[in-house]
Amino acid sequence: MSCTTLFEQVLDPDNRANPYPLFAQLRRQPVCRQEDGTYVVSTHAEIARLVSDPRISSEDLPDPQKFRWTGHPITDLFVRPIRAEIRRRHQPFIFRDPPDHDRLRGLVMRAFSPERVRRMREETADLTNELIGKFAGKAQIDLVDDFSYPLPVTVICKLLGVPPEDEPQFQGWATQLATALEPNQRADEETQAKNEQCFTEISDFLRDLIAKKRKEPQDDILTDLANGTKPGNASGDDPDEDGAETMNDFDLIATAVLLLVAGHETTVNLITNSVLTLLRRPEHWERLRDDPGIAPRLIEEMLRYEPPVQYRTRLAVADIPIAGVTIPKDAPVVLLLASGNRDPARFADPDRFDPDRPDNRHLGFGGGLHYCVGAPLARIEAEVALVSLARRLKNPRLVEDPPPYRPGASLRGPRHLCLAFDGIADA
Amino acid sequence: MTAGPSGPPERILVVGASLAGLSAAHALRAEGFAGALTLVGDEPHAPYDRPPLSKQVLRGLFSPDTTLPRRPELRAEFRLGTPASRLDCEARTVTLADGSTLPYDRLLIATGTRARPWPNPEEASLDGVFTLRTRDDAARLSARFKAGPKRVVLVGGGFIGFEVASTCRDLDIPVSLLVRDGQPLAAALGPRLGGLVGTIAQERGVDLRLGAEIERMDSEGGRLTGVTLKDGERIEADLLVAAIGAVRNVAWLEGSGLAADEGGVLCDGYCRAIRANGDIVPDVFVAGDVARWPNPHQGEALVAVEHWGNARAQAEAAARNMLAGPATGLTRHDHLPDFWSQQFGLTIKLVGLADGADSLAVVHGSLDARRFVALYGREGRTVAAASIDSARWLPAYEAAIREGAPFPPIEGAIDQPRLRIEEP
């Protein structure tokens, strides 16, 4: 069978529960042109090579913006084009190339300091126990709505410095804006309109919040990004020797939205996919319960086996000869990370879930200059969540397998994961 | 004595206990060699890492003890502080300076190089005149730096000279750097980028003297007081470091029948030592700075590569080939040379061989920003890529160089200025 329509099948929601057999077919031709001109890269070596290739751009991804008249001339002719132009120039750094990417990412890395991330472990543990405590008296829960969703959004809000009373609103925005990272949903007109509305709301909210952080600095990421301060030095007593570089408000809003969406949706999927995978293999669930020290290895294997981000789309800015084909300039390039993770040329017995796998250099966090900024945070959140769930849930069972999935093929994960259990242990 | 392939080895002898020797020993164990393993070293120290010596050690940030980590499974006997003095390929023995004789089934020659001594022995023996190659050199020089010298004179326009100059400036020590041929770092980077690094050195306060040559060293009571240049100018200095290249440690191979001279010990692409007539010497292998072999990336020209990465890669290839039986294939050493240097707050990296290039193009960033990737072309092919503080694209260009891609191979890449082909 030719590979030219396989990616269409990957995008098909009917194949969401198990796209891996399609990946195996795709890997027969490591770089395969699809009928729409997209090139899908499905093998580990080729993906690893392209994430560090200067011919691969993250900017100006083909985004079929369809212009729709609202009927208001001022909106159509002035407000919207200007807003679109501003937004185009101030994309978050995940959609930027060097040198802009490096400047913005550098500032975020500084604010996202290891110490600040480390401190979130305790907060995450408290939140986790609070959420599990609410399971008391129930015989069944939806892990997604009752646990996986609320946990990361609260963590990222605390890190950013969003007041607790605004968190529920943030959760709604995060869910809507995640579709902006979904290549197969971006084109949808209704989704686009909703995204635009949502982006306007969150921008207005963040603009006010940033102004507040400038007036009353606090120990959080938004404060540091808004004021050019270093973590733990929000008062600015010790200005950075390199000069206090700051982001302008447009870049800052775009960055905050990125951190919210990327720090949220992905972690929801990591936790949910992990529980699903472990309950399908109860011996691993029991092992984790009896030996929490296995958690880090188990999570690395999860990032290989069921990565929360299945693929990223990039753009070839020059011809790229690779694996016997030439990706032509201007072609969209799909880096199918989840397939590279199952490449038998890189991983022995790749379809086996094996936390004891040596040399597990998976592509779960991507690679190259766009390697996940939030990887250390994601590892902490997943570890705390899984260890607590394994310890406290008594005899958990999957109610529905496979569970219903959300529509996204890239940020792939269950929409609901119903679990039955026989009660919870004390915290 | 048979010249054909011999049976599986029981005793492997490695002469040279530095990066190449230790890497080979580790690789031999990793490949399953369970027999007796002996490493011979002329220095009294266990294998140590040299790159920090001219930087962190000299600056006083690291202790001179840069001992390389040894894996528990190494189980090797070390004969340290005793250089090898003779090789007998027929008897399969190596004689050490203390007269002891070590037999081998397989031998690896990894004796490396030593600092080229200052040509005038009287001047070389003055108090205050140094070379820098060993950790003992670095410890002595570091102590003198700590004492606050009036001025340091560095002789030589290579990486050691520049790194030591950078360390001097970090310590706020006045420093004059004499580059006799007027072309700093030209052999490694070519005149254009070498000149740029020279300019950066000057901006950081190095007194860079292009074309300057020493007529004589001046001394008082056996202590260096300064140097007089050929043009008559005098520089007052109490320390001088001669960083004028390296000499390969091949004297002990005289009479062994191996093709060994100042250019190195000749071997083939599989690290097997060869005689002057081209015959393979059974069971003798060569790796590291002392090896000279036909490099596939330079049209099979005979080259020696004095870089950290090559020492490791070649030692590992040699180790595999030492254990290869008739059924297993040999591993070709086709490592693309690469190196890095840290100086004046910059990280310089190069992959490929820039020597002999005929053109240069900046493909990312800019020279003015001191943050760039530049490619070297030779006869229309890309042969090397250099970067300052932008090494992340080098893997892509390394792949292009390996494939013999045209020059410049990648146009229209991200963060790329308008391409202009210049002299290298």
Side-chain angles (χ1 to χ4, degrees):
Chain A
M1 180 175 148
S2 149
C3 67
T4 60
T5 56
L6 281 170
F7 192 62
E8 205 180 296
Q9 294 182 55
V10 172
L11 296 180
D12 183 347
D14 286 349
N15 291 316
R16 198 66 75 243
N18 185 14
Y20 297 101
L22 291 169
F23 297 166
Q25 289 182 54
L26 271 163
R27 280 193 302 269
R28 285 182 208 151
Q29 196 174 326
V31 179
C32 179
R33 184 184 187 279
Q34 304 298 293
E35 280 173 353
D36 67 354
T38 300
Y39 283 73
V40 176
V41 186
S42 55
T43 43
H44 191 279
E46 276 65 33
I47 295 169
R49 186 173 157 183
L50 288 181
V51 291
S52 289
D53 194 300
R55 291 164 291 191
I56 289 286
S57 168
S58 297
E59 290 187 358
D60 299 321
L61 299 181
D63 192 324
Q65 292 273 352
K66 288 193 194 94
F67 193 81
R68 291 175 309 116
W69 292 94
T70 64
H72 300 286
I74 292 177
T75 302
D76 287 341
L77 297 177
F78 296 99
V79 177
R80 281 178 45 173
I82 289 170
R83 197 190 289 148
E85 177 61 14
I86 289 172
R87 221 193 301 168
R88 196 184 62 78
R89 288 195 196 189
H90 297 279
Q91 287 282 319
F93 61 91
I94 196 173
F95 295 127
R96 303 277 277 269
D97 289 336
D100 293 343
H101 164 273
D102 302 358
R103 184 176 54 82
L104 297 170
R105 181 182 165 111
L107 290 169
V108 169
M109 292 293 281
R110 195 172 69 163
F112 224 81
S113 71
E115 172 55 22
R116 182 170 269 157
V117 172
R118 193 191 60 80
R119 279 203 312 259
M120 289 314 292
R121 180 179 283 272
E122 224 169 284
E123 301 245 18
T124 308
D126 291 346
L127 277 166
T128 301
N129 280 324
E130 200 182 303
L131 290 168
I132 297 177
K134 291 184 189 162
F135 301 169
K138 295 182 186 174
Q140 199 170 316
I141 53 148
D142 175 7
L143 186 81
V144 177
D145 284 346
D146 299 337
F147 186 84
S148 307
Y149 243 84
L151 179 66
V153 79
T154 311
V155 170
I156 196 72
C157 282
K158 276 195 198 304
L159 267 173
L160 281 174
V162 174
E165 61 270 22
D166 296 314
E167 278 171 21
Q169 208 174 355
F170 251 68
Q171 185 170 325
W173 287 331
T175 309
Q176 181 58 43
L177 289 174
T179 58
L181 291 178
E182 278 298 345
N184 59 325
Q185 286 179 48
R186 277 207 302 244
D188 180 307
E189 273 191 32
E190 196 188 339
T191 307
Q192 267 193 34
K194 274 196 199 153
N195 274 344
E196 199 169 316
Q197 173 64 25
C198 180
F199 192 80
T200 307
E201 284 173 24
I202 197 171
S203 298
D204 292 345
F205 175 87
L206 285 168
R207 197 168 289 117
D208 292 345
L209 187 58
I210 289 161
K212 247 184 253 169
K213 300 285 177 191
R214 291 214 168 104
K215 243 184 271 165
E216 298 162 37
Q218 284 162 319
D219 185 2
D220 57 49
I221 289 181
L222 268 188
T223 297
D224 287 340
L225 290 178
N227 300 305
T229 45
K230 277 196 211 168
N233 184 41
S235 57
D237 293 340
D238 172 30
D240 186 25
E241 292 171 46
D242 305 335
E245 203 191 341
T246 57
M247 282 186 194
N248 62 46
D249 281 12
F250 298 120
D251 283 333
L252 188 44
I253 289 168
T255 302
V257 171
L258 171 67
L259 295 183
L260 171 68
V261 174
H264 179 209
E265 291 295 317
T266 51
T267 316
V268 174
N269 291 341
L270 179 57
I271 295 171
T272 314
N273 287 341
S274 296
V275 172
L276 175 62
T277 304
L278 294 179
L279 289 182
R280 281 172 173 167
R281 297 164 185 75
E283 70 277 15
H284 288 292
W285 180 271
E286 282 155 28
R287 188 177 171 196
L288 175 64
R289 186 191 59 205
D290 299 340
D291 176 17
I294 186 69
R297 297 192 64 87
L298 198 128
I299 288 160
E300 290 314 299
E301 176 67 348
M302 205 63 76
L303 285 158
R304 183 192 74 83
Y305 194 75
E306 287 276 19
V309 180
Q310 299 256 304
Y311 65 90
R312 297 294 302 146
T313 306
R314 305 279 168 88
L315 189 72
V317 291
D319 289 358
I320 308 174
I322 182 166
V325 300
T326 294
I327 304 175
K329 184 176 183 308
D330 297 329
V333 180
V334 168
L335 303 176
L336 200 44
L337 307 168
S339 172
N341 280 352
R342 299 283 189 110
D343 185 347
R346 179 61 185 76
F347 300 102
D349 201 359
D351 293 324
R352 203 167 83 87
F353 180 80
D354 176 14
D356 300 317
R357 189 176 287 283
D359 193 23
N360 188 356
R361 260 176 271 177
H362 60 75
L363 300 165
F365 287 125
L369 72 161
H370 289 284
Y371 183 86
C372 179
V373 168
L377 178 66
R379 288 183 169 117
I380 286 177
E381 290 182 86
E383 183 182 333
V384 170
L386 292 178
V387 167
S388 302
L389 286 170
R391 196 176 60 76
R392 296 189 63 191
L393 286 187
K394 288 182 181 162
N395 189 24
R397 283 114 39 209
L398 295 171
V399 173
E400 188 185 5
D401 189 9
Y405 274 77
R406 287 189 288 136
S410 178
L411 302 184
R412 168 180 165 271
R415 172 64 193 89
H416 299 289
L417 189 67
C418 288
L419 304 182
F421 53 95
D422 303 338
I424 55 166
D426 289 337
Chain B
M1 207 74 246
T2 57
S6 34
E10 284 165 24
R11 294 164 304 186
I12 295 186
L13 180 59
V14 177
V15 180
S18 192
L19 180 65
L22 181 66
S23 301
H26 274 143
L28 286 166
R29 291 300 188 210
E31 297 283 323
F33 174 64
L37 182 55
T38 306
L39 278 85
V40 173
D42 61 342
E43 289 185 61
H45 306 293
Y48 61 88
D49 207 22
R50 295 183 200 274
L53 298 181
S54 55
K55 304 179 267 283
Q56 295 93 335
V57 171
L58 211 47
R59 198 177 159 181
L61 297 174
F62 292 3
S63 123
D65 181 0
T66 57
T67 302
L68 286 161
R70 270 171 291 170
R71 295 190 205 127
E73 63 271 23
L74 184 62
R75 298 187 322 277
E77 185 195 350
F78 283 89
R79 299 286 295 257
L80 300 173
T82 324
S85 58
R86 192 169 170 271
L87 164 63
D88 185 335
C89 298
E90 296 303 312
R92 294 174 188 246
T93 57
V94 168
T95 306
L96 304 190
D98 64 6
S100 55
T101 295
L102 306 175
Y104 65 80
D105 299 324
R106 300 281 189 281
L107 171 70
L108 179 68
I109 296 170
T111 42
T113 67
R114 62 187 184 278
R116 182 177 294 282
W118 184 251
N120 178 331
E122 210 172 295
E123 292 177 345
S125 67
L126 287 174
D127 179 39
V129 176
F130 286 84
T131 55
L132 177 56
R133 173 78 192 172
T134 67
R135 54 177 274 193
D136 292 341
D137 294 340
R140 282 191 294 264
L141 196 54
S142 172
R144 297 295 282 263
F145 275 16
K146 221 179 219 166
K150 284 203 297 278
R151 175 170 290 273
V152 176
V153 167
L154 293 168
V155 189
F159 277 106
I160 300 293
F162 270 81
E163 289 182 356
V164 175
S166 170
T167 303
C168 287
R169 293 313 302 144
D170 288 339
L171 295 169
D172 213 20
I173 298 169
V175 56
S176 299
L177 176 54
L178 315 185
V179 181
R180 193 170 65 171
D181 66 2
Q183 302 215 315
L185 301 172
L189 295 176
R192 181 93 170 85
L193 298 190
L196 175 70
V197 179
T199 305
I200 292 169
Q202 283 177 306
E203 288 170 7
R204 307 289 168 103
V206 174
D207 170 32
L208 181 65
R209 308 285 188 109
L210 299 180
E213 204 172 335
I214 290 180
E215 173 70 27
R216 63 163 192 278
M217 292 186 196
D218 306 318
S219 61
E220 243 180 64
R223 295 178 71 101
L224 180 81
T225 56
V227 295
T228 301
L229 304 181
K230 285 249 156 87
D231 65 5
E233 194 186 341
R234 192 163 183 282
I235 302 175
E236 300 233 344
D238 39 5
L239 280 182
L240 180 145
V241 182
I244 50 175
V247 185
R248 296 189 173 80
N249 294 319
V250 294
W252 68 287
L253 295 171
E254 216 180 287
S256 66
L258 268 60
D261 57 22
E262 62 270 25
V265 183
L266 214 54
C267 60
D268 67 7
Y270 304 96
C271 315
R272 299 179 293 189
I274 48 186
R275 298 185 211 279
N277 66 6
D279 287 351
I280 290 159
V281 183
D283 303 326
V284 179
F285 295 76
V286 195
D289 288 7
V290 78
R292 188 177 185 218
W293 81 102
N295 189 315
H297 303 291
Q298 268 202 322
E300 306 292 326
L302 293 174
V303 293
V305 176
E306 298 172 24
H307 295 315
W308 195 92
N310 180 68
R312 278 186 43 151
Q314 198 167 22
E316 283 162 11
R320 273 194 295 275
N321 292 336
M322 288 167 100
L323 300 178
T328 38
L330 291 172
T331 302
R332 173 99 204 228
H333 174 54
D334 78 338
H335 174 76
L336 192 63
D338 60 358
F339 71 81
W340 78 98
S341 172
Q342 284 155 322
Q343 45 183 287
F344 306 108
L346 306 172
T347 300
I348 303 170
K349 287 194 176 187
L350 187 123
V351 57
L353 287 154
D355 202 15
D358 55 31
S359 37
L360 180 85
V362 174
V363 290
H364 298 284
S366 76
L367 297 190
D368 289 341
R370 276 105 198 246
R371 204 181 148 81
F372 61 85
V373 176
L375 299 185
Y376 297 82
R378 182 179 181 172
E379 292 159 3
R381 297 207 173 275
T382 302
V383 292
S387 73
I388 286 187
D389 285 358
S390 339
R392 64 167 165 239
W393 301 131
L394 285 191
Y397 291 104
E398 181 181 339
I401 294 163
R402 279 188 176 280
E403 287 160 9
F407 173 84
I410 296 175
E411 288 197 42
I414 62 178
D415 191 22
Q416 189 171 74
R418 222 157 69 97
L419 284 188
R420 228 181 64 210
I421 313 269
E422 311 174 55
E423 300 268 301

